[in-house]
Amino acid sequence: MLRAADIAMSGTKYNFDDVVNRRNTSCEKWDFLEKNFGYDDLLPLWVADMDFRSPQPVIDALVSRAKHGIYGYTGLTNEYYDSVIGWYRRRYGWEIRKEWIVYTPGVVPAVSLAIRAFSNPGDRIIVQTPVYYPFFKSIESNGRQVLNNRLKLNGDRYEMDFDDLEEKARDSRARIMILCSPHNPVGRVWKKDELKRLGRICADNGLLVISDEIHSDITYPGIVHTNFASISEEFASTSITCTSASKTFNLAGLQISNIIIPDEKKRSIFSNEVESCSNVHPNSFAPDAVMVAYNECEDWLEEFRAYLKGNLDFLKQFVKENVPEVRVIEPEGTYLCWLDFRRVEQDVKKLERMMLRDAKVALDEGYIFRDGGEGFERINLACPRSILRSALEKIAEAVKKH
Ligand SMILES: Cc1ncc(COP(=O)(O)O)c(C=O)c1O
């Protein structure tokens, strides 16, 4: 089957070089630098959203919704569900059913709610560090413990440590595995064989897999994402899949995600947990935006992916020519890139100071992704190339002085 994701990209309709000023829009990435980093005069390439405008059809749909003028309680229509089902059918060949889809106002809330619904205080939740740091909060602030199956760095490539996973999965308090697929921050798009092996270990030990696939639409050419639950009926029934259009079309501020739970019993337990928090309704704007994005904006995504590949190539070339002591871990997916600065500076606090005080850039420090993240930096490539160039020049200058 020809996947839309693999259709060759030709011609450009959108201008990703356009620099849009995000200051004074209550923007977490640009307007809260002082609060988040202690300095305001930084170039931000940290939190995982894009500095690009969403596709025009999405903007038009939101304007039209805003003009209607009534923003009362909102629900999800059949057309909404069809747009989600169509997306997974077209792009992944994965057949999902309307009733499997549970709305939550984000993937992180869904992960926290699943932890509450499917484990008890004191239980252990397996993660694979270095990994997306809000998982730790979801686990620990709910009184559960992190059980770490640390990733191995083999050469320039991260791999799962299956021997260690078998051991961790056998732990009598282990209940859940959080799979980050594609993996933030290391950029791996897990192969089907790797997912099968992981799924086997989890199923044999009675663990629920929470597969966070929020980055799945953003892969580099030739790389194919496999939906964990699509691998077998067994995996479908022992997992919940967290999805969203938010990374794909830059809609994170609209707070909408689709949690796919094929198993009826698990779905009912999860839905009860969601409803225990509130009478859950999406905001008045989010459903229209997602619907239009999924139905009409694949061409935008393909152009974005082509631009992103250009940004990655630019970064690799720049680093090779100007800061060869930094190692680029080449991502297979996500618009995040994991950079190894350990040959520049081993002390994580000194490295952080170098970024903030000398380079004046805001990246995500590797150590916040916990074990194995120390001495790395995560840079966000979803920005106009001129911003990326400017950030890299500042970093190169700071490294030279260091
Ligand atoms: C792996 C992963 N999961 C979840 C999220 C955030 O999801 P949401 O904004 O829907 O809570 C992110 C954002 O960076 C992410 O990288």
Side-chain angles (χ1 to χ4, degrees):
M1 184 183 60
L2 181 64
R3 296 169 69 255
D6 291 326
I7 293 170
M9 292 152 263
S10 60
T12 50
K13 201 162 133 195
Y14 305 99
N15 184 5
F16 292 98
D17 282 326
D18 212 15
V19 176
V20 181
N21 181 8
R22 296 184 67 186
R23 292 260 184 191
N24 303 313
T25 62
S26 306
C27 165
E28 187 71 33
K29 193 190 223 165
W30 288 81
D31 283 331
F32 296 92
L33 287 161
E34 176 87 43
K35 180 192 99 185
N36 286 304
F37 295 93
Y39 303 85
D40 190 48
D41 57 343
L42 306 173
L43 192 55
L45 292 88
W46 62 291
V47 68
D49 71 15
M50 304 177 179
D51 287 336
F52 303 124
R53 283 156 67 85
S54 287
Q56 193 59 42
V58 171
I59 298 169
D60 294 343
L62 289 173
V63 168
S64 154
R65 189 70 196 79
K67 280 187 174 160
H68 182 254
I70 298 177
Y71 313 118
Y73 291 117
T74 302
L76 297 176
T77 59
N78 282 336
E79 288 73 25
Y80 174 86
Y81 288 110
D82 285 345
S83 73
V84 178
I85 292 166
W87 184 258
Y88 284 91
R89 180 180 296 139
R90 283 197 310 282
R91 298 199 60 96
Y92 301 92
W94 185 25
E95 287 295 332
I96 58 177
R97 297 204 202 120
K98 175 187 166 186
E99 62 270 20
W100 296 357
I101 303 170
V102 182
Y103 159 82
T104 65
V107 165
V108 171
V111 170
S112 296
L113 290 163
I115 287 172
R116 288 193 205 202
F118 297 105
S119 69
N120 292 307
D123 284 345
R124 302 197 169 132
I125 317 291
I126 302 177
V127 296
Q128 297 177 308
T129 71
V131 77
Y132 179 58
Y133 46 89
F135 291 163
F136 306 124
K137 188 137 198 259
S138 293
I139 296 169
E140 291 166 345
S141 62
N142 281 302
R144 277 66 165 174
Q145 294 171 19
V146 172
L147 192 54
N148 189 17
N149 168 229
R150 183 170 156 174
L151 295 176
K152 296 189 294 196
L153 183 53
N154 283 341
D156 287 345
R157 187 177 172 80
Y158 279 88
E159 280 169 3
M160 295 193 193
D161 183 342
F162 289 105
D163 293 335
D164 180 68
L165 179 59
E166 296 230 16
E167 199 182 310
K168 299 282 156 63
R170 279 198 299 269
D171 185 298
S172 64
R173 301 288 326 239
R175 294 287 174 273
I176 296 173
M177 158 119 216
I178 305 180
L179 168 66
C180 195
S181 176
H183 191 96
N184 170 6
V186 309
R188 276 299 316 279
V189 176
W190 304 114
K191 290 196 182 328
K192 196 169 184 181
D193 281 351
E194 292 172 302
L195 295 172
K196 275 186 178 169
R197 234 174 129 181
L198 176 141
R200 188 71 270 131
I201 294 170
C202 291
D204 287 348
N205 289 281
L207 301 184
L208 170 79
V209 175
I210 300 176
S211 189
D212 178 344
E213 301 186 14
I214 197 168
H215 292 279
S216 65
D217 297 324
I218 300 159
T219 53
Y220 286 92
I223 305 289
V224 175
H225 171 83
T226 302
N227 306 106
F228 177 79
S230 74
I231 293 175
S232 68
E233 283 195 13
E234 183 188 23
F235 290 0
S237 68
T238 55
S239 67
I240 76 171
T241 303
C242 300
T243 74
S244 172
S246 63
K247 298 291 163 214
T248 316
F249 294 107
N250 207 20
L251 308 174
L254 294 179
Q255 316 260 242
I256 187 166
S257 58
N258 296 302
I259 312 306
I260 301 172
I261 313 180
D263 183 75
E264 196 179 340
K265 191 157 170 234
K266 287 197 174 58
R267 198 165 60 242
S268 151
I269 294 171
F270 181 78
S271 299
N272 282 341
E273 193 68 40
V274 174
E275 282 153 23
S276 77
C277 299
S278 79
N279 198 355
V280 184
H281 291 280
N283 67 62
S284 300
F285 295 92
D288 285 3
V290 172
M291 225 175 341
V292 168
Y294 277 164
N295 287 340
E296 298 176 29
C297 301
E298 271 180 274
D299 62 337
W300 184 94
L301 174 60
E302 296 317 322
E303 281 201 23
F304 164 69
R305 290 173 66 230
Y307 190 85
L308 179 66
K309 172 77 169 77
N311 270 2
L312 176 63
D313 290 343
F314 174 78
L315 171 127
K316 286 192 327 199
Q317 191 63 26
F318 185 97
V319 168
K320 195 166 141 201
E321 285 169 10
N322 299 285
V323 261
E325 52 277 70
V326 172
R327 180 161 60 142
V328 179
I329 304 295
E330 185 155 352
E332 296 170 325
T334 83
Y335 50 68
L336 309 164
C337 188
W338 191 232
L339 303 173
D340 182 356
F341 275 81
R342 289 174 300 177
R343 275 185 291 181
V344 175
E345 176 56 66
Q346 302 250 333
D347 182 314
V348 297
K349 287 291 164 190
K350 283 191 189 153
L351 180 60
E352 184 168 26
R353 270 200 303 276
M354 189 185 93
M355 290 300 163
L356 297 175
R357 260 195 349 215
D358 306 337
K360 296 251 161 244
V361 293
L363 308 184
D364 270 325
E365 295 300 311
Y367 70 85
I368 65 178
F369 300 83
R370 294 207 186 164
D371 294 8
E374 304 85 355
F376 287 75
E377 298 281 338
R378 191 194 76 176
I379 189 165
N380 181 340
L381 304 179
C383 59
R385 200 151 305 150
S386 59
I387 292 185
L388 179 62
R389 177 185 291 115
S390 168
L392 291 172
E393 282 168 359
K394 286 159 169 277
I395 292 168
E397 189 69 17
V399 168
K400 270 190 203 99
K401 282 201 194 124
H402 189 68

